[in-house]
Amino acid sequence: MPRLNLNPNITYNVKMRVGVHSRRIEQDHTLTYRSPDGRPHSVDDVLLDLRRACARAMGVPTIDTYVVDCRFIPA
């Protein structure tokens, strides 16, 4: 399956629902994403970076989190 890339010239509002295995909770997060270097990045790579940011905000290790839902909305 081909990798889906995000357009590097667009800023995206990202709405995510992230869960924590150990706490059995889910939280909604709203973030903004734009390519940091002007190159296209795959959705998978960006999703991991955003998941890391959510894990930091929740105070848990990234490995303890999972993505329930994620939407990239052009700003």
Short mmCIF file of all heavy atoms in Angstrom, two decimals:
data_model
loop_
_atom_site.label_atom_id
_atom_site.label_comp_id
_atom_site.label_asym_id
_atom_site.label_seq_id
_atom_site.Cartn_x
_atom_site.Cartn_y
_atom_site.Cartn_z
N MET A 1 0.84 -1.18 0.00
CA MET A 1 0.00 0.00 0.00
C MET A 1 0.89 1.24 0.00
O MET A 1 1.85 1.33 0.78
CB MET A 1 -0.89 -0.03 1.25
CG MET A 1 -1.74 1.21 1.37
SD MET A 1 -2.76 1.21 2.85
CE MET A 1 -4.20 0.45 2.18
N PRO A 2 0.62 2.21 -0.86
CA PRO A 2 1.44 3.42 -0.90
C PRO A 2 1.26 4.25 0.36
O PRO A 2 0.20 4.25 0.98
CB PRO A 2 0.93 4.17 -2.13
CG PRO A 2 -0.42 3.63 -2.38
CD PRO A 2 -0.45 2.23 -1.84
N ARG A 3 2.33 4.94 0.72
CA ARG A 3 2.27 5.81 1.91
C ARG A 3 1.57 7.11 1.54
O ARG A 3 1.83 7.70 0.50
CB ARG A 3 3.68 6.10 2.40
CG ARG A 3 4.34 4.89 3.00
CD ARG A 3 5.78 5.14 3.32
NE ARG A 3 5.94 6.22 4.27
CZ ARG A 3 6.58 6.10 5.41
NH1 ARG A 3 7.10 4.96 5.76
NH2 ARG A 3 6.71 7.12 6.21
N LEU A 4 0.68 7.54 2.41
CA LEU A 4 -0.05 8.78 2.21
C LEU A 4 0.75 9.92 2.83
O LEU A 4 1.13 9.86 4.00
CB LEU A 4 -1.43 8.68 2.88
CG LEU A 4 -2.35 9.88 2.72
CD1 LEU A 4 -2.64 10.14 1.25
CD2 LEU A 4 -3.63 9.64 3.48
N ASN A 5 1.05 10.94 2.04
CA ASN A 5 1.82 12.09 2.53
C ASN A 5 0.92 13.30 2.70
O ASN A 5 -0.04 13.49 1.96
CB ASN A 5 2.94 12.45 1.55
CG ASN A 5 4.04 11.43 1.54
OD1 ASN A 5 4.31 10.78 2.55
ND2 ASN A 5 4.68 11.27 0.40
N LEU A 6 1.26 14.11 3.70
CA LEU A 6 0.55 15.37 3.91
C LEU A 6 1.20 16.46 3.07
O LEU A 6 2.41 16.47 2.87
CB LEU A 6 0.63 15.76 5.39
CG LEU A 6 -0.09 14.82 6.35
CD1 LEU A 6 0.23 15.19 7.78
CD2 LEU A 6 -1.58 14.84 6.11
N ASN A 7 0.39 17.37 2.56
CA ASN A 7 0.88 18.49 1.76
C ASN A 7 1.73 19.41 2.65
O ASN A 7 1.24 19.90 3.67
CB ASN A 7 -0.29 19.25 1.17
CG ASN A 7 0.13 20.33 0.22
OD1 ASN A 7 1.17 20.95 0.38
ND2 ASN A 7 -0.71 20.58 -0.77
N PRO A 8 2.99 19.66 2.30
CA PRO A 8 3.86 20.46 3.16
C PRO A 8 3.51 21.95 3.18
O PRO A 8 3.97 22.69 4.03
CB PRO A 8 5.25 20.25 2.57
CG PRO A 8 5.00 19.92 1.14
CD PRO A 8 3.70 19.17 1.12
N ASN A 9 2.68 22.40 2.24
CA ASN A 9 2.33 23.82 2.16
C ASN A 9 1.04 24.17 2.89
O ASN A 9 0.58 25.30 2.82
CB ASN A 9 2.20 24.23 0.68
CG ASN A 9 3.49 23.98 -0.06
OD1 ASN A 9 4.55 24.29 0.43
ND2 ASN A 9 3.38 23.39 -1.23
N ILE A 10 0.46 23.20 3.57
CA ILE A 10 -0.81 23.41 4.26
C ILE A 10 -0.61 23.22 5.76
O ILE A 10 0.09 22.31 6.19
CB ILE A 10 -1.88 22.42 3.75
CG1 ILE A 10 -2.21 22.71 2.29
CG2 ILE A 10 -3.14 22.48 4.61
CD1 ILE A 10 -3.21 21.76 1.69
N THR A 11 -1.22 24.10 6.54
CA THR A 11 -1.26 23.92 7.99
C THR A 11 -2.53 23.14 8.30
O THR A 11 -3.60 23.46 7.78
CB THR A 11 -1.29 25.29 8.70
OG1 THR A 11 -0.09 26.00 8.38
CG2 THR A 11 -1.39 25.12 10.22
N TYR A 12 -2.39 22.12 9.12
CA TYR A 12 -3.52 21.27 9.48
C TYR A 12 -3.90 21.46 10.94
O TYR A 12 -3.02 21.54 11.80
CB TYR A 12 -3.17 19.79 9.28
CG TYR A 12 -2.95 19.40 7.85
CD1 TYR A 12 -1.67 19.42 7.30
CD2 TYR A 12 -4.00 18.99 7.04
CE1 TYR A 12 -1.45 19.04 5.99
CE2 TYR A 12 -3.78 18.61 5.72
CZ TYR A 12 -2.51 18.64 5.20
OH TYR A 12 -2.29 18.28 3.90
N ASN A 13 -5.20 21.55 11.21
CA ASN A 13 -5.70 21.42 12.57
C ASN A 13 -5.97 19.92 12.75
O ASN A 13 -6.63 19.31 11.90
CB ASN A 13 -6.99 22.21 12.78
CG ASN A 13 -6.73 23.69 12.74
OD1 ASN A 13 -5.70 24.16 13.20
ND2 ASN A 13 -7.66 24.44 12.18
N VAL A 14 -5.42 19.36 13.80
CA VAL A 14 -5.52 17.92 14.00
C VAL A 14 -6.35 17.67 15.26
O VAL A 14 -6.03 18.17 16.33
CB VAL A 14 -4.12 17.28 14.16
CG1 VAL A 14 -4.25 15.77 14.27
CG2 VAL A 14 -3.22 17.66 12.99
N LYS A 15 -7.41 16.91 15.10
CA LYS A 15 -8.24 16.53 16.24
C LYS A 15 -8.00 15.04 16.48
O LYS A 15 -8.20 14.22 15.59
CB LYS A 15 -9.71 16.79 15.95
CG LYS A 15 -9.98 18.27 15.75
CD LYS A 15 -11.45 18.57 15.79
CE LYS A 15 -11.67 20.04 15.57
NZ LYS A 15 -11.62 20.83 16.76
N MET A 16 -7.50 14.73 17.68
CA MET A 16 -7.15 13.35 18.01
C MET A 16 -7.84 12.92 19.29
O MET A 16 -8.05 13.71 20.19
CB MET A 16 -5.64 13.22 18.26
CG MET A 16 -4.76 13.53 17.12
SD MET A 16 -3.02 13.33 17.57
CE MET A 16 -2.90 11.56 17.72
N ARG A 17 -8.14 11.64 19.36
CA ARG A 17 -8.57 11.02 20.61
C ARG A 17 -7.52 9.97 20.91
O ARG A 17 -7.29 9.07 20.10
CB ARG A 17 -9.95 10.41 20.47
CG ARG A 17 -10.49 9.86 21.76
CD ARG A 17 -12.00 9.64 21.64
NE ARG A 17 -12.61 9.35 22.91
CZ ARG A 17 -12.89 10.24 23.85
NH1 ARG A 17 -12.61 11.51 23.67
NH2 ARG A 17 -13.46 9.87 24.97
N VAL A 18 -6.86 10.13 22.04
CA VAL A 18 -5.74 9.26 22.41
C VAL A 18 -6.09 8.53 23.71
O VAL A 18 -6.59 9.15 24.66
CB VAL A 18 -4.44 10.08 22.59
CG1 VAL A 18 -3.29 9.20 23.02
CG2 VAL A 18 -4.09 10.79 21.29
N GLY A 19 -5.83 7.23 23.73
CA GLY A 19 -6.09 6.43 24.91
C GLY A 19 -4.80 6.04 25.62
O GLY A 19 -3.73 6.04 25.03
N VAL A 20 -4.95 5.72 26.90
CA VAL A 20 -3.82 5.27 27.72
C VAL A 20 -4.17 3.87 28.23
O VAL A 20 -5.16 3.70 28.95
CB VAL A 20 -3.55 6.22 28.90
CG1 VAL A 20 -2.39 5.73 29.74
CG2 VAL A 20 -3.30 7.63 28.40
N HIS A 21 -3.35 2.89 27.85
CA HIS A 21 -3.61 1.50 28.24
C HIS A 21 -3.68 1.35 29.76
O HIS A 21 -4.64 0.78 30.29
CB HIS A 21 -2.51 0.57 27.71
CG HIS A 21 -2.49 0.44 26.23
ND1 HIS A 21 -3.45 -0.24 25.52
CD2 HIS A 21 -1.61 0.91 25.31
CE1 HIS A 21 -3.17 -0.20 24.24
NE2 HIS A 21 -2.06 0.50 24.07
N SER A 22 -2.68 1.84 30.48
CA SER A 22 -2.59 1.58 31.91
C SER A 22 -3.67 2.28 32.73
O SER A 22 -4.08 1.79 33.77
CB SER A 22 -1.21 2.00 32.44
OG SER A 22 -1.02 3.39 32.29
N ARG A 23 -4.15 3.41 32.25
CA ARG A 23 -5.17 4.16 33.00
C ARG A 23 -6.59 3.88 32.50
O ARG A 23 -7.56 4.31 33.10
CB ARG A 23 -4.90 5.66 32.90
CG ARG A 23 -3.63 6.08 33.57
CD ARG A 23 -3.50 7.58 33.52
NE ARG A 23 -2.20 8.01 34.01
CZ ARG A 23 -1.74 9.24 33.87
NH1 ARG A 23 -2.48 10.16 33.28
NH2 ARG A 23 -0.56 9.56 34.33
N ARG A 24 -6.67 3.22 31.36
CA ARG A 24 -7.96 2.92 30.72
C ARG A 24 -8.81 4.18 30.55
O ARG A 24 -9.99 4.23 30.91
CB ARG A 24 -8.72 1.88 31.52
CG ARG A 24 -8.04 0.55 31.50
CD ARG A 24 -8.85 -0.51 32.15
NE ARG A 24 -8.14 -1.77 32.04
CZ ARG A 24 -8.35 -2.79 32.82
NH1 ARG A 24 -9.26 -2.72 33.77
NH2 ARG A 24 -7.68 -3.89 32.66
N ILE A 25 -8.17 5.22 30.03
CA ILE A 25 -8.86 6.48 29.76
C ILE A 25 -8.60 6.89 28.32
O ILE A 25 -7.66 6.40 27.69
CB ILE A 25 -8.41 7.62 30.70
CG1 ILE A 25 -6.92 7.92 30.50
CG2 ILE A 25 -8.74 7.31 32.14
CD1 ILE A 25 -6.45 9.20 31.17
N GLU A 26 -9.42 7.78 27.82
CA GLU A 26 -9.22 8.40 26.51
C GLU A 26 -9.40 9.90 26.67
O GLU A 26 -10.26 10.34 27.43
CB GLU A 26 -10.21 7.85 25.49
CG GLU A 26 -10.02 6.40 25.19
CD GLU A 26 -11.06 5.85 24.21
OE1 GLU A 26 -11.98 6.60 23.82
OE2 GLU A 26 -10.94 4.67 23.84
N GLN A 27 -8.57 10.67 25.96
CA GLN A 27 -8.66 12.13 26.01
C GLN A 27 -8.66 12.70 24.59
O GLN A 27 -8.00 12.16 23.71
CB GLN A 27 -7.47 12.74 26.75
CG GLN A 27 -7.53 12.61 28.23
CD GLN A 27 -6.36 13.35 28.90
OE1 GLN A 27 -5.45 13.83 28.25
NE2 GLN A 27 -6.42 13.43 30.21
N ASP A 28 -9.38 13.80 24.43
CA ASP A 28 -9.38 14.52 23.15
C ASP A 28 -8.27 15.56 23.17
O ASP A 28 -8.02 16.21 24.19
CB ASP A 28 -10.72 15.22 22.93
CG ASP A 28 -11.84 14.22 22.71
OD1 ASP A 28 -11.60 13.22 22.01
OD2 ASP A 28 -12.95 14.44 23.21
N HIS A 29 -7.59 15.70 22.04
CA HIS A 29 -6.52 16.68 21.88
C HIS A 29 -6.73 17.41 20.57
O HIS A 29 -7.14 16.82 19.58
CB HIS A 29 -5.14 16.00 21.87
CG HIS A 29 -4.80 15.31 23.14
ND1 HIS A 29 -4.09 15.91 24.14
CD2 HIS A 29 -5.09 14.07 23.58
CE1 HIS A 29 -3.94 15.07 25.14
NE2 HIS A 29 -4.54 13.94 24.83
N THR A 30 -6.43 18.69 20.56
CA THR A 30 -6.45 19.48 19.33
C THR A 30 -5.06 20.08 19.16
O THR A 30 -4.55 20.76 20.05
CB THR A 30 -7.49 20.61 19.41
OG1 THR A 30 -8.77 20.02 19.66
CG2 THR A 30 -7.55 21.39 18.12
N LEU A 31 -4.43 19.78 18.03
CA LEU A 31 -3.07 20.25 17.76
C LEU A 31 -3.03 20.89 16.38
O LEU A 31 -3.95 20.73 15.59
CB LEU A 31 -2.09 19.06 17.79
CG LEU A 31 -2.09 18.23 19.07
CD1 LEU A 31 -2.77 16.92 18.81
CD2 LEU A 31 -0.69 18.00 19.53
N THR A 32 -1.95 21.57 16.11
CA THR A 32 -1.72 22.16 14.80
C THR A 32 -0.45 21.55 14.23
O THR A 32 0.53 21.39 14.95
CB THR A 32 -1.56 23.69 14.90
OG1 THR A 32 -2.74 24.23 15.50
CG2 THR A 32 -1.37 24.32 13.54
N TYR A 33 -0.49 21.19 12.94
CA TYR A 33 0.70 20.60 12.31
C TYR A 33 0.98 21.28 10.99
O TYR A 33 0.08 21.53 10.20
CB TYR A 33 0.51 19.10 12.06
CG TYR A 33 1.67 18.54 11.26
CD1 TYR A 33 2.87 18.25 11.89
CD2 TYR A 33 1.59 18.37 9.89
CE1 TYR A 33 3.95 17.79 11.17
CE2 TYR A 33 2.66 17.91 9.16
CZ TYR A 33 3.84 17.63 9.80
OH TYR A 33 4.91 17.19 9.07
N ARG A 34 2.24 21.57 10.76
CA ARG A 34 2.74 22.03 9.47
C ARG A 34 4.13 21.45 9.31
O ARG A 34 4.90 21.39 10.27
CB ARG A 34 2.80 23.55 9.40
CG ARG A 34 3.20 24.03 8.00
CD ARG A 34 3.12 25.55 7.92
NE ARG A 34 3.52 26.01 6.61
CZ ARG A 34 2.70 26.30 5.63
NH1 ARG A 34 1.41 26.19 5.80
NH2 ARG A 34 3.15 26.71 4.47
N SER A 35 4.47 21.03 8.11
CA SER A 35 5.77 20.42 7.87
C SER A 35 6.89 21.33 8.37
O SER A 35 6.96 22.49 7.98
CB SER A 35 5.95 20.15 6.37
OG SER A 35 7.26 19.69 6.12
N PRO A 36 7.77 20.82 9.23
CA PRO A 36 8.83 21.67 9.78
C PRO A 36 9.93 22.02 8.79
O PRO A 36 10.63 23.00 8.96
CB PRO A 36 9.39 20.83 10.94
CG PRO A 36 9.07 19.42 10.57
CD PRO A 36 7.79 19.47 9.79
N ASP A 37 10.06 21.23 7.72
CA ASP A 37 11.15 21.46 6.78
C ASP A 37 10.69 21.69 5.34
O ASP A 37 11.49 21.68 4.42
CB ASP A 37 12.15 20.30 6.84
CG ASP A 37 11.51 18.95 6.59
OD1 ASP A 37 10.32 18.92 6.20
OD2 ASP A 37 12.18 17.94 6.79
N GLY A 38 9.38 21.86 5.15
CA GLY A 38 8.87 22.13 3.81
C GLY A 38 8.80 20.93 2.89
O GLY A 38 8.55 21.07 1.71
N ARG A 39 9.04 19.74 3.43
CA ARG A 39 8.95 18.51 2.64
C ARG A 39 7.71 17.73 3.07
O ARG A 39 7.28 17.83 4.21
CB ARG A 39 10.19 17.63 2.88
CG ARG A 39 11.46 18.22 2.39
CD ARG A 39 12.62 17.23 2.52
NE ARG A 39 12.28 16.10 3.35
CZ ARG A 39 13.06 15.60 4.30
NH1 ARG A 39 14.23 16.11 4.54
NH2 ARG A 39 12.68 14.55 5.01
N PRO A 40 7.16 16.92 2.17
CA PRO A 40 6.01 16.10 2.57
C PRO A 40 6.44 15.02 3.56
O PRO A 40 7.53 14.46 3.44
CB PRO A 40 5.52 15.48 1.26
CG PRO A 40 6.53 15.77 0.24
CD PRO A 40 7.49 16.79 0.77
N HIS A 41 5.61 14.74 4.54
CA HIS A 41 5.87 13.69 5.52
C HIS A 41 4.68 12.73 5.51
O HIS A 41 3.55 13.14 5.29
CB HIS A 41 6.04 14.28 6.92
CG HIS A 41 7.29 15.09 7.05
ND1 HIS A 41 8.49 14.57 7.43
CD2 HIS A 41 7.53 16.40 6.81
CE1 HIS A 41 9.41 15.50 7.44
NE2 HIS A 41 8.85 16.64 7.06
N SER A 42 4.96 11.46 5.77
CA SER A 42 3.88 10.47 5.75
C SER A 42 2.97 10.67 6.96
O SER A 42 3.40 11.13 8.02
CB SER A 42 4.44 9.05 5.75
OG SER A 42 4.90 8.70 7.03
N VAL A 43 1.72 10.32 6.79
CA VAL A 43 0.75 10.42 7.88
C VAL A 43 1.21 9.58 9.06
O VAL A 43 1.09 9.99 10.22
CB VAL A 43 -0.65 10.00 7.40
CG1 VAL A 43 -1.62 9.88 8.55
CG2 VAL A 43 -1.18 10.98 6.36
N ASP A 44 1.78 8.39 8.80
CA ASP A 44 2.24 7.52 9.88
C ASP A 44 3.31 8.20 10.73
O ASP A 44 3.28 8.13 11.96
CB ASP A 44 2.79 6.21 9.33
CG ASP A 44 1.72 5.34 8.71
OD1 ASP A 44 0.53 5.51 9.08
OD2 ASP A 44 2.06 4.49 7.88
N ASP A 45 4.28 8.85 10.08
CA ASP A 45 5.35 9.53 10.81
C ASP A 45 4.80 10.70 11.62
O ASP A 45 5.18 10.92 12.77
CB ASP A 45 6.44 10.03 9.86
CG ASP A 45 7.19 8.89 9.19
OD1 ASP A 45 7.13 7.75 9.71
OD2 ASP A 45 7.81 9.14 8.15
N VAL A 46 3.91 11.47 11.02
CA VAL A 46 3.33 12.62 11.70
C VAL A 46 2.48 12.16 12.88
O VAL A 46 2.53 12.73 13.97
CB VAL A 46 2.49 13.47 10.72
CG1 VAL A 46 1.70 14.55 11.45
CG2 VAL A 46 3.40 14.09 9.66
N LEU A 47 1.73 11.09 12.67
CA LEU A 47 0.88 10.56 13.73
C LEU A 47 1.71 10.15 14.95
O LEU A 47 1.32 10.40 16.09
CB LEU A 47 0.10 9.37 13.20
CG LEU A 47 -1.27 9.10 13.77
CD1 LEU A 47 -2.13 10.33 13.72
CD2 LEU A 47 -1.93 7.96 13.05
N LEU A 48 2.86 9.56 14.73
CA LEU A 48 3.72 9.17 15.84
C LEU A 48 4.22 10.41 16.60
O LEU A 48 4.20 10.44 17.83
CB LEU A 48 4.91 8.34 15.35
CG LEU A 48 5.89 7.89 16.43
CD1 LEU A 48 5.18 7.08 17.51
CD2 LEU A 48 7.02 7.10 15.82
N ASP A 49 4.62 11.45 15.86
CA ASP A 49 5.06 12.68 16.52
C ASP A 49 3.94 13.32 17.34
O ASP A 49 4.15 13.78 18.46
CB ASP A 49 5.58 13.69 15.50
CG ASP A 49 6.93 13.31 14.92
OD1 ASP A 49 7.62 12.47 15.54
OD2 ASP A 49 7.28 13.84 13.85
N LEU A 50 2.74 13.34 16.78
CA LEU A 50 1.61 13.92 17.49
C LEU A 50 1.23 13.07 18.71
O LEU A 50 0.88 13.59 19.76
CB LEU A 50 0.41 14.06 16.55
CG LEU A 50 0.61 15.03 15.38
CD1 LEU A 50 -0.61 14.99 14.46
CD2 LEU A 50 0.86 16.44 15.87
N ARG A 51 1.34 11.75 18.56
CA ARG A 51 1.05 10.86 19.69
C ARG A 51 2.05 11.08 20.82
O ARG A 51 1.70 11.08 22.00
CB ARG A 51 1.10 9.41 19.21
CG ARG A 51 0.48 8.44 20.18
CD ARG A 51 0.45 7.05 19.58
NE ARG A 51 1.18 6.18 20.45
CZ ARG A 51 1.87 5.13 20.08
NH1 ARG A 51 1.93 4.79 18.81
NH2 ARG A 51 2.49 4.39 20.96
N ARG A 52 3.30 11.33 20.46
CA ARG A 52 4.33 11.64 21.47
C ARG A 52 3.97 12.92 22.23
O ARG A 52 4.10 13.00 23.45
CB ARG A 52 5.69 11.82 20.81
CG ARG A 52 6.35 10.54 20.44
CD ARG A 52 7.75 10.80 19.89
NE ARG A 52 8.33 9.57 19.41
CZ ARG A 52 8.86 9.38 18.22
NH1 ARG A 52 8.90 10.38 17.35
NH2 ARG A 52 9.37 8.22 17.89
N ALA A 53 3.51 13.93 21.49
CA ALA A 53 3.13 15.20 22.12
C ALA A 53 1.95 14.99 23.08
O ALA A 53 1.93 15.53 24.19
CB ALA A 53 2.77 16.23 21.06
N CYS A 54 0.98 14.19 22.68
CA CYS A 54 -0.16 13.91 23.54
C CYS A 54 0.27 13.13 24.78
O CYS A 54 -0.20 13.41 25.89
CB CYS A 54 -1.23 13.12 22.77
SG CYS A 54 -2.02 14.06 21.46
N ALA A 55 1.17 12.17 24.61
CA ALA A 55 1.66 11.39 25.75
C ALA A 55 2.37 12.29 26.75
O ALA A 55 2.17 12.17 27.97
CB ALA A 55 2.60 10.28 25.26
N ARG A 56 3.19 13.23 26.24
CA ARG A 56 3.86 14.19 27.14
C ARG A 56 2.84 15.01 27.91
O ARG A 56 2.97 15.23 29.10
CB ARG A 56 4.78 15.12 26.33
CG ARG A 56 6.18 14.61 26.17
CD ARG A 56 7.11 15.71 25.66
NE ARG A 56 6.65 16.32 24.41
CZ ARG A 56 6.97 15.89 23.20
NH1 ARG A 56 7.75 14.85 23.05
NH2 ARG A 56 6.52 16.51 22.14
N ALA A 57 1.80 15.46 27.20
CA ALA A 57 0.77 16.28 27.85
C ALA A 57 0.01 15.50 28.92
O ALA A 57 -0.41 16.06 29.92
CB ALA A 57 -0.21 16.81 26.80
N MET A 58 -0.13 14.19 28.72
CA MET A 58 -0.84 13.36 29.69
C MET A 58 0.08 12.80 30.76
O MET A 58 -0.38 12.18 31.71
CB MET A 58 -1.57 12.22 28.97
CG MET A 58 -2.69 12.72 28.08
SD MET A 58 -3.76 11.41 27.41
CE MET A 58 -2.68 10.50 26.38
N GLY A 59 1.39 12.97 30.58
CA GLY A 59 2.35 12.50 31.56
C GLY A 59 2.56 11.00 31.58
O GLY A 59 2.82 10.41 32.63
N VAL A 60 2.45 10.38 30.40
CA VAL A 60 2.65 8.93 30.30
C VAL A 60 3.65 8.63 29.18
O VAL A 60 3.86 9.45 28.29
CB VAL A 60 1.32 8.19 30.02
CG1 VAL A 60 0.34 8.38 31.17
CG2 VAL A 60 0.70 8.64 28.71
N PRO A 61 4.27 7.45 29.20
CA PRO A 61 5.17 7.08 28.11
C PRO A 61 4.37 6.88 26.81
O PRO A 61 3.23 6.41 26.83
CB PRO A 61 5.79 5.76 28.56
CG PRO A 61 5.38 5.53 29.97
CD PRO A 61 4.24 6.45 30.26
N THR A 62 4.99 7.20 25.69
CA THR A 62 4.34 7.06 24.39
C THR A 62 3.89 5.63 24.15
O THR A 62 2.81 5.39 23.60
CB THR A 62 5.31 7.50 23.26
OG1 THR A 62 5.73 8.83 23.52
CG2 THR A 62 4.64 7.45 21.90
N ILE A 63 4.68 4.67 24.57
CA ILE A 63 4.35 3.26 24.33
C ILE A 63 3.06 2.84 25.03
O ILE A 63 2.43 1.86 24.66
CB ILE A 63 5.53 2.35 24.73
CG1 ILE A 63 5.37 0.99 24.09
CG2 ILE A 63 5.68 2.24 26.22
CD1 ILE A 63 6.63 0.23 23.92
N ASP A 64 2.65 3.60 26.04
CA ASP A 64 1.42 3.29 26.79
C ASP A 64 0.19 3.90 26.14
O ASP A 64 -0.92 3.75 26.65
CB ASP A 64 1.58 3.79 28.24
CG ASP A 64 0.53 3.22 29.18
OD1 ASP A 64 -0.02 2.15 28.88
OD2 ASP A 64 0.27 3.85 30.22
N THR A 65 0.35 4.59 25.01
CA THR A 65 -0.78 5.27 24.37
C THR A 65 -1.17 4.60 23.06
O THR A 65 -0.39 3.85 22.47
CB THR A 65 -0.45 6.75 24.08
OG1 THR A 65 0.63 6.81 23.16
CG2 THR A 65 -0.10 7.50 25.35
N TYR A 66 -2.37 4.91 22.62
CA TYR A 66 -2.85 4.44 21.31
C TYR A 66 -3.80 5.50 20.75
O TYR A 66 -4.39 6.28 21.50
CB TYR A 66 -3.56 3.09 21.42
CG TYR A 66 -4.73 3.07 22.37
CD1 TYR A 66 -6.03 3.26 21.91
CD2 TYR A 66 -4.54 2.86 23.74
CE1 TYR A 66 -7.11 3.26 22.79
CE2 TYR A 66 -5.61 2.85 24.61
CZ TYR A 66 -6.89 3.04 24.13
OH TYR A 66 -7.96 3.03 25.00
N VAL A 67 -3.92 5.56 19.44
CA VAL A 67 -4.78 6.54 18.79
C VAL A 67 -6.13 5.89 18.51
O VAL A 67 -6.21 4.85 17.88
CB VAL A 67 -4.15 7.05 17.48
CG1 VAL A 67 -5.10 7.99 16.75
CG2 VAL A 67 -2.83 7.74 17.75
N VAL A 68 -7.18 6.51 19.03
CA VAL A 68 -8.54 6.03 18.81
C VAL A 68 -9.08 6.60 17.51
O VAL A 68 -9.67 5.90 16.70
CB VAL A 68 -9.46 6.43 19.99
CG1 VAL A 68 -10.89 6.00 19.75
CG2 VAL A 68 -8.93 5.87 21.29
N ASP A 69 -8.87 7.91 17.31
CA ASP A 69 -9.39 8.59 16.14
C ASP A 69 -8.50 9.80 15.86
O ASP A 69 -7.96 10.40 16.77
CB ASP A 69 -10.83 9.07 16.41
CG ASP A 69 -11.48 9.68 15.19
OD1 ASP A 69 -11.27 9.14 14.08
OD2 ASP A 69 -12.18 10.69 15.33
N CYS A 70 -8.33 10.12 14.58
CA CYS A 70 -7.51 11.27 14.22
C CYS A 70 -8.03 11.86 12.90
O CYS A 70 -8.28 11.11 11.95
CB CYS A 70 -6.06 10.85 14.07
SG CYS A 70 -4.98 12.24 13.70
N ARG A 71 -8.16 13.19 12.88
CA ARG A 71 -8.61 13.88 11.66
C ARG A 71 -7.69 15.04 11.37
O ARG A 71 -7.40 15.86 12.25
CB ARG A 71 -10.03 14.38 11.85
CG ARG A 71 -10.99 13.24 12.00
CD ARG A 71 -12.40 13.67 11.91
NE ARG A 71 -13.22 12.47 12.04
CZ ARG A 71 -14.31 12.40 12.74
NH1 ARG A 71 -14.75 13.47 13.34
NH2 ARG A 71 -14.98 11.29 12.81
N PHE A 72 -7.22 15.11 10.14
CA PHE A 72 -6.40 16.22 9.67
C PHE A 72 -7.32 17.14 8.88
O PHE A 72 -7.85 16.77 7.84
CB PHE A 72 -5.27 15.72 8.76
CG PHE A 72 -4.20 14.97 9.51
CD1 PHE A 72 -4.31 13.62 9.75
CD2 PHE A 72 -3.07 15.63 9.95
CE1 PHE A 72 -3.33 12.93 10.44
CE2 PHE A 72 -2.07 14.96 10.64
CZ PHE A 72 -2.20 13.60 10.88
N ILE A 73 -7.50 18.36 9.39
CA ILE A 73 -8.41 19.32 8.76
C ILE A 73 -7.58 20.51 8.27
O ILE A 73 -6.94 21.19 9.08
CB ILE A 73 -9.47 19.80 9.77
CG1 ILE A 73 -10.21 18.59 10.34
CG2 ILE A 73 -10.41 20.79 9.14
CD1 ILE A 73 -10.88 18.84 11.66
N PRO A 74 -7.54 20.77 6.95
CA PRO A 74 -6.77 21.92 6.48
C PRO A 74 -7.28 23.20 7.12
O PRO A 74 -8.48 23.44 7.20
CB PRO A 74 -7.04 21.94 4.96
CG PRO A 74 -7.43 20.53 4.63
CD PRO A 74 -8.16 20.01 5.86
N ALA A 75 -6.33 24.01 7.61
CA ALA A 75 -6.70 25.26 8.30
C ALA A 75 -6.98 26.36 7.31
O ALA A 75 -6.58 26.37 6.20
CB ALA A 75 -5.58 25.68 9.23
#
